[in-house]
Amino acid sequence: MKKSLLIVVIAILSTVKWGYSQVDKNLPFIWESATVYFVLTDRFENGDTTNDLAYSRPQDGPPLRNYEGGDLQGLINKIEEGYFDELGVNALWITPPIENIYGSVPGAGYGFHGYWAKDWTNIDANLGTNALFGTFVDIAHEHGIRVLLDVVLNHVGPDTSTDQNQSWPDEWVRRDPDCNFQGPEGTIPCELVNNLPDIRTDSNENVSVPGWLLDKWDQEGRKEIQETELNDFFTRTGKTRSPRNYIIKWLIDYIRKYGVDGFRVDTVKHVEEDVWKELETEGVIALREWKANNPDKKLDDLDFWMTGEVFNYNAPTMGRNFTGDGFNVDYYNNGFANLINFEFRFNANDGLESIFSRYDNLLQNQLVDGKSAMNFLTNHDTEEVFDRDRQKTFEAGTKLLLTPGPAQIYYGDETARTLTPGGGASGDATLRSNMNFDELNNSNSLASQTLRHFQKIGKFRREHVSVGAGKHNKLQDSPYVFKREYNKNGIQDEALVYTGNDNDFTGALDVFGIWDDGTELQDYFSGTFATVSNGTATFGTTFGLVLIGEPTSRTLGVDEVDTSNLDFVKAWPNPFTNSLKVSFQLADIKLNEVEVAMYDILGKKVLGNEQIDIQQNTIDIAVPNLTKGMYLMKIAFNGRTQVVQLIKK
């Protein structure tokens, strides 16, 4: 290797840090173990200050009920800087980004949350543009992050004086009575609350697009294309032009056009259950079409996925059927792969084994067939949350991220964002304060310490599907130790966790026969590595939590580069496309004793010996799944190590 090239390699290696890169999109993923980050886009990060007062919306609402400036560009910025990667997030749930009513409602302020729809076909200008939304989805996918779009099919936005003459007509919505929540009849054909017009989802009558909406599209230069797309949809499906079918069409456009991976459905029990099966069916068709048309952008071949908010669905207690408010409905048989679990925030007060065994039973025995319930501790609606005063943030992170099933991190859970902001904020506004990124400037702040805790467990969870989806087994009580094992659909994974007090686990730790001697393991909490010997592994960690799994990412350090002999390996072609060859200039090489590994520019291992093929005097390596960019190949044998810089074009 030439000296100048070596300097480049060492410069890169010396800046390596633990983190994720685009290749992480190749990590195994199943929804049952997803780590979902739920973000109110307007409250997260202001990436474009020029759109802060779109539609001339003033900030004259009650405290924390105005638009605050967060937008899609802010989300994009945080994705690209690796914030979600380092947290182990593999799905982003964003509040509805569609255009909301322009005016405010007395006492309730503006529709910054996105649930007051005006025009389903357009991204709200306070958040960005349709094109920017597409960019957001693409960039999320590049980081292995699925996108869940929050959707509303129960109601439109309130009538306001600002939006005068742009209200939905009576053939589209009902404005009375208000719901009394007494069984389906008191919950579905009624207004959720006063002045939240209820969409006539039960109707099969043909209706026309309101004249004000057609005029709006015409002024925006979009009328012809919108009408053409509607005609195409109704011709293809044969559906009536009923209110719900228009909205289903407008919602699935975000899948068909941009590749949205799934929906989080709002106010599920306020709509007839068979409507959700219609939505899911069209979603599956749309996502399959998008993936067929965008093979270079898709993450996998998984189908469209839906989770739903059935308010006060207590998953472990109710099982598959929601039995609250006079209902007895299996929504899992009506389009949903997942429902949000409102019980976990209370169960989190219990001990670890009580929680874990309860939720293992829910996932493995009560729901089954790929169905799951999403656990959360806080969200945007529920006043009763776990640790409202943020006094138990480490406990919260441990319990949420190690419990079987999908986990929902509500924005700021990982940074101890205040849920008691004061300043006159009241009701659900207190749950929707601005993200506290500024508190991360102090590395000793509660925000920073909590974030580091979440990151460690989040990384463990993302790299090992067994943590969220594997079968849970307690191994001993004191110290409390458990394992998780997953072996389905061609994915096999194991994880082992020790819990206790600081300095409990500095010595050799039993791996309970999960891994053979000679296996390299990582403790994801301390970041240290160990090799199994005599059935044990010694990490020397001083922490009271040890998260053990086989490393899927391995940092290549400068100390691993042998500069004494850098000319015994040839790798070609360089640049390469889908395959590589490695040969040696030394005669005493036994190729079956050579170790080969490739790392991305962040030092993350992306390929190892299990992916190479030895042919006579060369090693053939197939690398079709690697993204374009620079890589480092480490070749080692007989105490010699060489690092080669390679470019994939």
Side-chain angles (χ1 to χ4, degrees):
M1 184 182 293
K2 295 181 180 179
K3 184 176 181 181
S4 60
L5 181 58
L6 176 61
I7 292 173
V8 172
V9 174
I10 291 180
I12 292 168
L13 292 177
S14 65
T15 60
V16 164
K17 67 174 182 178
W18 281 105
Y20 288 90
S21 67
Q22 294 182 8
V23 294
D24 285 288
K25 64 184 181 182
N26 295 321
L27 284 171
F29 174 84
I30 52 174
W31 282 106
E32 297 97 296
S33 67
T35 302
V36 180
Y37 193 93
F38 171 28
V39 56
L40 267 70
T41 306
D42 176 71
R43 299 301 159 89
F44 191 63
E45 176 77 352
N46 192 343
D48 180 3
T49 58
T50 66
N51 61 19
D52 288 358
L53 298 175
Y55 313 113
S56 300
R57 289 170 174 145
Q59 290 190 312
D60 59 358
L64 285 178
R65 295 188 185 276
N66 298 295
Y67 283 84
E68 297 284 333
D71 48 34
L72 291 170
Q73 188 59 56
L75 280 173
I76 290 170
N77 293 348
K78 285 299 179 181
I79 294 172
E80 290 187 318
E81 76 176 39
Y83 183 81
F84 300 109
D85 295 332
E86 293 176 6
L87 190 56
V89 168
N90 49 21
L92 266 177
W93 155 17
I94 65 169
T95 42
I98 62 172
E99 189 174 316
N100 268 225
I101 61 170
Y102 300 163
S104 65
V105 176
Y110 292 87
F112 65 90
H113 41 68
Y115 296 103
W116 292 347
K118 183 186 187 75
D119 184 353
W120 273 272
T121 71
N122 209 30
I123 296 296
D124 195 281
N126 257 102
L127 305 182
T129 64
N130 288 20
L132 188 65
F133 179 79
T135 299
F136 156 69
V137 176
D138 286 347
I139 292 174
H141 285 169
E142 288 173 4
H143 285 251
I145 299 172
R146 281 85 183 156
V147 174
L148 288 176
L149 193 65
D150 207 328
V151 300
V152 185
L153 191 48
N154 164 248
H155 58 265
V156 299
D159 298 319
T160 76
S161 58
T162 302
D163 299 276
Q164 193 172 14
N165 301 320
Q166 293 190 342
S167 295
W168 294 85
D170 290 344
E171 62 181 352
W172 276 76
V173 299
R174 60 174 62 86
R175 290 180 168 81
D176 62 75
D178 291 347
C179 294
N180 61 22
F181 308 105
Q182 301 300 307
E185 287 303 310
T187 306
I188 298 174
C190 51
E191 277 195 318
L192 181 63
V193 296
N194 185 47
N195 196 21
L196 202 60
D198 179 68
I199 298 166
R200 295 183 181 274
T201 50
D202 57 331
S203 173
N204 288 309
E205 298 298 318
N206 290 309
V207 299
S208 300
V209 177
W212 64 264
L213 185 55
L214 290 172
D215 291 342
K216 176 179 180 294
W217 291 346
D218 194 28
Q219 293 167 11
E220 296 167 349
R222 300 190 297 123
K223 180 180 177 182
E224 183 176 350
I225 190 171
Q226 289 299 326
E227 291 187 313
T228 298
E229 288 182 357
L230 283 170
N231 290 336
D232 290 344
F233 173 78
F234 287 115
T235 298
R236 176 181 67 80
T237 63
K239 294 179 180 292
T240 62
R241 291 179 178 250
S242 66
R244 75 171 184 276
N245 288 331
Y246 277 104
I247 298 170
I248 286 173
K249 186 272 177 192
W250 293 331
L251 291 175
I252 65 167
D253 277 351
Y254 292 96
I255 307 169
R256 177 169 283 108
K257 294 179 180 180
Y258 307 113
V260 164
D261 301 277
F263 286 165
R264 177 271 183 185
V265 179
D266 187 66
T267 51
V268 167
K269 66 184 175 185
H270 296 276
V271 173
E272 298 80 7
E273 59 264 28
D274 58 321
V275 172
W276 302 128
K277 187 61 180 178
E278 294 180 41
L279 179 63
E280 188 247 1
T281 297
E282 290 300 323
V284 169
I285 294 170
L287 188 57
R288 288 180 181 177
E289 179 183 310
W290 181 85
K291 289 184 176 183
N293 292 334
N294 296 273
D296 295 335
K297 288 185 177 183
K298 70 175 184 177
L299 282 170
D300 50 45
D301 292 318
L302 293 179
D303 266 331
F304 172 76
W305 188 85
M306 276 198 341
T307 183
E309 179 217 34
V310 181
F311 205 85
N312 284 337
Y313 166 63
N314 298 321
T317 299
M318 295 180 179
R320 286 184 67 111
N321 280 37
F322 172 67
T323 54
D325 299 329
F327 282 73
N328 188 0
V329 178
D330 183 348
Y331 288 103
Y332 290 104
N333 276 343
N334 287 275
F336 290 96
N338 179 278
L339 295 177
I340 295 169
N341 172 33
F342 283 78
E343 186 174 334
F344 184 75
R345 59 201 161 123
F346 305 118
N347 298 152
N349 291 298
D350 298 337
L352 293 180
E353 177 57 23
S354 174
I355 298 170
F356 297 161
S357 59
R358 184 179 182 88
Y359 280 88
D360 177 72
N361 182 59
L362 174 68
L363 187 65
Q364 306 291 341
N365 301 321
Q366 292 178 266
L367 300 181
V368 302
D369 299 328
K371 307 297 186 181
S372 60
M374 190 184 303
N375 302 318
F376 73 90
L377 295 173
T378 65
N379 75 1
H380 60 321
D381 283 334
T382 51
E383 292 289 334
E384 292 182 279
V385 300
F386 179 80
D387 188 29
R388 189 180 185 101
D389 294 326
R390 303 297 199 190
Q391 299 296 309
K392 299 183 285 187
T393 58
F394 300 148
E395 178 184 343
T398 299
K399 289 180 173 178
L400 176 65
L401 297 178
L402 292 182
T403 292
Q408 173 227 290
I409 301 173
Y410 184 44
Y411 80 104
D413 281 351
E414 80 283 14
T415 56
R417 175 182 61 85
T418 183
L419 302 177
T420 55
S426 62
D428 56 20
T430 62
L431 305 169
R432 306 173 181 185
S433 60
N434 289 308
M435 185 61 177
N436 58 328
F437 286 121
D438 57 325
E439 295 178 27
L440 298 177
N441 295 330
N442 177 0
S443 62
N444 293 318
S445 65
L446 178 61
S448 294
Q449 293 179 32
T450 300
L451 178 59
R452 289 193 292 270
H453 186 81
F454 270 73
Q455 286 173 335
K456 292 173 180 179
I457 307 177
K459 182 177 188 292
F460 180 54
R461 183 182 172 91
R462 182 173 185 181
E463 294 195 8
H464 294 282
V465 297
S466 61
V467 177
K471 176 62 182 172
H472 170 82
N473 280 290
K474 181 184 72 172
L475 298 176
Q476 62 183 44
D477 288 312
S478 184
Y480 175 56
V481 183
F482 65 88
K483 68 176 179 178
R484 302 272 169 82
E485 295 177 300
Y486 184 89
N487 189 4
K488 296 178 183 178
N489 303 316
I491 302 172
Q492 183 175 351
D493 185 57
E494 299 84 24
L496 177 66
V497 177
Y498 277 78
T499 71
N501 300 309
D502 287 351
N503 295 309
D504 278 355
F505 308 123
T506 56
L509 301 178
D510 191 347
V511 299
F512 296 92
I514 300 172
W515 297 283
D516 295 333
D517 283 4
T519 305
E520 184 184 43
L521 298 176
Q522 180 179 358
D523 167 24
Y524 282 74
F525 203 79
S526 68
T528 56
F529 296 83
T531 300
V532 179
S533 176
N534 296 321
T536 66
T538 304
F539 298 98
T541 176
T542 60
F543 295 111
L545 183 61
V546 189
L547 311 173
I548 305 172
E550 292 188 60
T552 63
S553 59
R554 183 73 157 92
T555 299
L556 178 63
V558 176
D559 58 347
E560 297 183 58
V561 181
D562 179 4
T563 60
S564 62
N565 187 338
L566 294 167
D567 295 313
F568 66 88
V569 172
K570 177 183 177 183
W572 83 95
N574 191 16
F576 66 96
T577 52
N578 293 322
S579 63
L580 278 163
K581 292 182 181 294
V582 177
S583 62
F584 300 83
Q585 279 71 55
L586 300 177
D588 59 340
I589 301 291
K590 294 181 180 179
L591 292 187
N592 61 351
E593 296 178 359
V594 173
E595 293 184 7
V596 177
M598 287 184 68
Y599 300 80
D600 63 22
I601 60 173
L602 293 180
K604 181 173 183 293
K605 185 176 179 181
V606 297
L607 178 146
N609 268 43
E610 65 278 3
Q611 293 157 279
I612 70 174
D613 181 31
I614 299 173
Q615 299 289 340
Q616 296 181 347
N617 295 323
T618 64
I619 293 175
D620 291 340
I621 306 174
V623 285
N625 294 326
L626 295 186
T627 56
K628 295 178 182 179
M630 190 176 78
Y631 293 89
L632 303 173
M633 177 182 287
K634 174 187 170 186
I635 305 102
F637 83 105
N638 288 350
R640 303 189 188 199
T641 302
Q642 182 168 327
V643 174
V644 180
Q645 183 188 34
L646 298 165
I647 302 292
K648 181 168 185 181
K649 62 181 180 179

